[in-house]
Amino acid sequence: MFRFGAVAALTLLALGATALAVLAGPWWWLPAAPLLALAAVGCWDLLQRKHSVLRNYPVLGHLRFLLEALRPELQQYFIERNFDGRPYDRDVRSIVYQRAKGTDAEEPFGTERDVYADGYESLVHSMAPVAAPDEPPKVRIGGPDCTRPYDMALLNVSAMSFGSLSANAILALNKGAALGGFAHDTGEGGLSEHHLRHGGDLVWEIGTGYFGCRTSDGGFDRSEFAGKAAHDAVKCVSLKLSQGAKPGIGGVLPGGKVNAEIARVRDVPQGETVISPPYHRVFSTPRELVRFIAELRGLAGGKPTGFKLCVGSRLQFLAVCKAMLAEGVTPDFIIVDGAEGGTGAAPLEFADHIGTPLTEGLLTVHNALVGTGLRDRVRIGASGKVATGADIVKRLLQGADYTNAARAMMFAVGCIQAQRCHTNTCPVGVTTQDARRARALDVEDKSLRVERFQRSTVAGAQQIMASMGVRFPAELRPHMLRRRVGPHEVRSYAELYDWLAPEQLLAEPPEAWATDWAAADPDRFTV
């Protein structure tokens, strides 16, 4: 019935256009053009076989696709409340923007959050607060086998590759790091001229694709790695095992983003989609992993070397700890990436259902290292939705020594959470290789914003700690963070989680850890 009505309507449109053409004389096409266009679109909709909606609702059905395209913007700007947006709500985005711009990051009239909701967390303030230190604290990265230790800031730029990010975004982040004296993780996409131009301190990340130190067949090129790791700007080397938003699979850089420059930086063919394998080719057991860390540190001239992972199996991480003990080798740092971390592109199933959230991941790594007596040799970094001073303090309480931020740093350089990172059409020039779009990002202005955001956020963390009666991160304790677990019950992190004593796993493992500890094998990644 509707199809018959649609045909009749289109026929009337065409007749109307013909009548207008007769009346308009030689300029018939001007008034008739819109009607003719609608009639043509309607006829095409009726004849095409791809979209059922358009076949049944010609012309009108296009409104559905238009509204669907506008839905994210309508949701973000007109529907969602200040505190319930995802992945980052408006309150968090606003505080990042305000700190980056140097304006007041303050809120009138009180919190909008439900402080009686299950899961609400609060930090315990003191009746005797102290003055915050004048200088932000640094964390010494470098174990007993490291000859060139590095002092890491409390908040740094997390791993984001050139290719995923535009050249201007990388330049702004690195110059901001240079201005603020904090570190900039390169991501697994290799060392580019944009990472090196402004002299910011770099953590060079090596992923499964070995980009920037890659043989022609995709293996690890030791000679090329050693040459680049010797650069003065490279302060640390990080081996990426897995990423929070997509653990267990490799990264993907669409061929449309692989221009000549990116191909040169990554040692890959131009214009072809780059897929990182899900596993490393140079090791396959915990013991081989530990030995490779030692080899990388030697090739890097004794610079701090560690690895990044999203925790999956506690059993497998304990196997790595056993390998450290057996080989007498430890990484200088471990970066724990939470499952809530971000990425340019990942399958929805992985982002939603794979990997351990940062809180549990941190507690696993921290307790495993404490329980094996290795914690004093290894520093722990935390990455995954770190954007405010409160986020930093919470992660320090949960076992981290320092934090990294990716998406918050993107906000600082202008990201508006359009979530088009994988399309090469980023509207603000952050995640694109389109030169016209990328030129919108002004490096000089945005580098200052990056520096201001980092400085203000660390100062915010120091202010929070001072209100808790704490001057330095080492004084933080688990009982200082509390979570509501029911309508009438609030418990501290000291009560909610088990905290191992030094070398407890070596002496008498607690019941909750005993089975995994016994099964952990330094020569096999047991499932």
Side-chain angles (χ1 to χ4, degrees):
M1 178 65 72
F2 181 83
R3 286 172 60 83
F4 176 78
V7 172
L10 294 173
T11 302
L12 289 174
L13 280 175
L15 290 173
T18 304
L20 282 173
V22 172
L23 294 173
W27 296 100
W28 64 271
W29 55 272
L30 284 176
L35 294 177
L36 288 171
L38 286 174
V41 169
C43 290
W44 173 257
D45 290 343
L46 288 170
L47 294 172
Q48 60 84 35
R49 298 178 179 274
K50 185 176 181 180
H51 301 290
S52 300
V53 168
L54 297 181
R55 294 195 78 191
N56 280 338
Y57 303 93
V59 181
L60 187 63
H62 287 278
L63 287 175
R64 182 235 183 216
F65 297 103
L66 175 63
L67 291 173
E68 192 173 64
L70 293 174
R71 181 182 177 277
E73 287 78 10
L74 293 173
Q75 176 77 18
Q76 181 179 138
Y77 293 117
F78 300 109
I79 298 173
E80 73 180 33
R81 297 173 294 180
N82 289 341
F83 52 85
D84 61 7
R86 294 288 186 274
Y88 284 82
D89 61 46
R90 181 167 294 278
D91 279 343
V92 172
R93 299 198 305 271
S94 294
I95 197 172
V96 175
Y97 295 145
Q98 289 163 359
R99 283 179 168 163
K101 294 174 183 177
T103 58
D104 292 336
E106 297 173 346
E107 185 71 20
F109 227 68
T111 182
E112 294 181 330
R113 299 181 186 273
D114 182 359
V115 298
Y116 294 100
D118 285 358
Y120 176 80
E121 293 186 341
S122 60
L123 294 161
V124 180
H125 70 282
S126 172
M127 293 179 68
V130 298
D134 294 331
E135 295 295 326
K138 294 274 189 173
V139 180
R140 176 60 60 95
I141 309 292
D145 299 320
C146 173
T147 59
R148 300 172 67 178
Y150 175 70
D151 291 332
M152 189 77 72
L154 284 188
L155 178 63
N156 307 277
V157 181
S158 197
M160 293 179 285
S161 303
F162 171 54
S164 296
L165 267 57
S166 68
N168 281 3
I170 295 293
L171 288 168
L173 290 169
N174 191 257
K175 186 171 183 179
L179 292 170
F182 51 94
H184 176 193
D185 193 313
T186 65
E188 64 178 302
L191 276 173
S192 72
E193 183 272 335
H194 312 297
H195 289 105
L196 300 170
R197 183 184 304 177
H198 293 298
D201 293 346
L202 295 174
V203 177
W204 184 16
E205 183 177 275
I206 309 298
T208 56
Y210 308 119
F211 300 125
C213 51
R214 174 186 173 96
T215 61
S216 58
D217 64 348
F220 177 63
D221 189 323
R222 288 165 171 78
S223 176
E224 187 177 12
F225 170 80
K228 291 182 178 179
H231 197 289
D232 287 342
V234 176
K235 304 300 183 184
C236 304
V237 175
S238 176
L239 183 70
K240 174 186 171 182
L241 304 185
S242 57
Q243 180 178 346
K246 48 186 176 186
I249 57 173
V252 178
L253 184 66
K257 281 190 169 185
V258 185
N259 58 28
E261 183 179 23
I262 291 172
R264 183 175 66 254
V265 169
R266 296 196 177 205
D267 297 331
V268 297
Q270 181 180 349
E272 295 184 13
T273 295
V274 180
I275 300 177
S276 304
Y279 56 87
H280 280 273
R281 294 170 58 173
V282 290
F283 64 86
S284 59
T285 70
R287 194 184 300 271
E288 289 174 354
L289 163 61
V290 170
R291 289 174 176 171
F292 186 55
I293 291 291
E295 181 184 5
L296 285 176
R297 185 162 46 217
L299 292 170
K303 293 180 179 181
T305 304
F307 61 83
K308 179 178 88 171
L309 84 164
C310 176
V311 176
S313 165
R314 182 174 70 176
L315 171 63
Q316 291 186 347
F317 187 78
L318 288 173
V320 175
C321 290
K322 281 189 174 180
M324 294 179 198
L325 292 168
E327 294 294 317
V329 173
T330 53
D332 299 296
F333 62 90
I334 296 173
I335 300 170
V336 182
D337 200 11
E340 64 269 50
T343 180
L348 184 64
E349 298 95 333
F350 276 79
D352 284 353
H353 302 293
I354 308 293
T356 304
L358 184 53
T359 294
E360 285 73 24
L362 267 178
L363 292 168
T364 297
V365 171
H366 170 75
N367 277 296
L369 292 174
V370 170
T372 52
L374 299 172
R375 184 65 178 87
D376 61 336
R377 301 177 58 162
V378 184
R379 296 291 173 259
I380 298 177
S383 62
K385 291 194 79 171
V386 175
T388 68
D391 294 333
I392 294 175
V393 176
K394 287 181 181 181
R395 298 315 180 189
L396 298 179
L397 273 161
Q398 293 164 357
D401 295 297
Y402 66 94
T403 63
N404 294 334
R407 286 169 292 180
M409 292 292 181
M410 289 170 61
F411 291 145
V413 297
C415 170
I416 59 173
Q417 197 169 278
Q419 296 179 272
R420 297 180 188 170
C421 309
H422 60 302
T423 65
N424 208 30
T425 60
C426 174
V428 290
V430 178
T431 59
T432 181
Q433 297 308 310
D434 183 327
R436 181 182 62 83
R437 293 176 182 271
R439 67 180 294 275
L441 196 159
D442 183 80
V443 173
E444 297 303 315
D445 175 61
K446 296 304 189 289
S447 62
L448 293 174
R449 294 190 182 195
V450 169
E451 186 276 331
R452 280 194 294 259
F453 163 68
Q454 192 273 352
R455 172 165 42 84
S456 298
T457 304
V458 171
Q462 289 183 277
Q463 191 175 39
I464 291 172
M465 287 189 285
S467 75
M468 300 166 67
V470 168
R471 288 178 58 83
F472 303 105
E475 300 172 45
L476 293 168
R477 295 292 181 269
H479 71 270
M480 296 176 177
L481 178 58
R482 296 177 179 174
R483 179 190 296 169
R484 181 171 289 279
V485 295
H488 310 292
E489 186 177 6
V490 175
R491 301 180 68 186
S492 76
Y493 266 63
E495 301 169 291
L496 287 170
Y497 297 97
D498 294 327
W499 298 83
L500 300 187
E503 300 188 6
Q504 187 175 355
L505 290 174
L506 304 180
E508 187 176 351
E511 183 178 352
W513 288 71
T515 301
D516 282 350
W517 178 249
D521 184 348
D523 293 306
R524 190 161 63 102
F525 282 114
T526 306
V527 178

